[in-house]
Amino acid sequence: MQSIQIISIIGSLLFLIAIIELIRKKLLKEAYAIIWLIFGCLFLFFSCWRKALDYIAKSIDIAYPPAMLFLLLIIAITLVLIQFSVVISKQSDQIKTLTQEIALLKQQKDEENKK
């Protein structure tokens, strides 16, 4: 086993432990952590079984197998950004609805105070 492989295994394990600790301390919701856990496991898998990385890279015509790891990282970041965009859009709609409801309640209260 090469030293770079050992370093990548340790790095992947530390990453997974950090994600699990964030979930355990309720600093990261499970729904958002799923993508991080999936890609952490994927990186751990490729760190442990390097031949799989070579095989898959060769099968999709990537000449330099470690470049596939960068591709996976870019995909992971893109998926997280899309997930955050969906959450932000949903929350924006909820904030708009709440603001409108508060305005209606305030208007009702003002009308009741006038009577």
Side-chain angles (χ1 to χ4, degrees):
M1 196 178 291
Q2 296 177 347
S3 63
I4 189 69
Q5 189 174 11
I6 294 170
I7 292 170
S8 64
I9 290 170
I10 292 170
S12 297
L13 286 172
L14 289 175
F15 177 78
L16 285 170
I17 290 168
I19 295 298
I20 291 168
E21 275 300 304
L22 288 172
I23 295 169
R24 193 181 66 76
K25 292 179 180 179
K26 301 203 185 292
L27 295 173
L28 183 62
K29 293 192 184 261
E30 295 87 358
Y32 306 128
I34 291 173
I35 291 176
W36 292 116
L37 289 172
I38 289 171
F39 280 97
C41 290
L42 202 58
F43 280 119
L44 181 62
F45 171 75
F46 285 129
S47 296
C48 292
W49 192 28
R50 189 165 174 215
K51 296 243 187 247
L53 180 65
D54 295 339
Y55 175 76
I56 294 171
K58 185 181 276 188
S59 68
I60 56 176
D61 266 351
I62 296 177
Y64 184 59
M68 192 177 92
L69 291 176
F70 288 112
L71 176 63
L72 287 174
L73 182 62
I74 290 169
I75 291 169
I77 291 170
T78 302
L79 288 174
V80 169
L81 288 173
I82 289 170
Q83 183 181 22
F84 286 162
S85 295
V86 168
V87 169
I88 289 170
S89 296
K90 185 178 176 183
Q91 287 180 344
S92 177
D93 290 342
Q94 290 173 339
I95 289 169
K96 180 181 173 184
T97 303
L98 285 172
T99 304
Q100 291 171 345
E101 289 175 1
I102 289 171
L104 289 172
L105 287 171
K106 186 176 180 181
Q107 183 182 13
Q108 267 182 344
K109 182 182 174 192
D110 288 346
E111 288 174 2
E112 287 175 4
N113 286 340
K114 287 181 183 178
K115 292 179 182 182

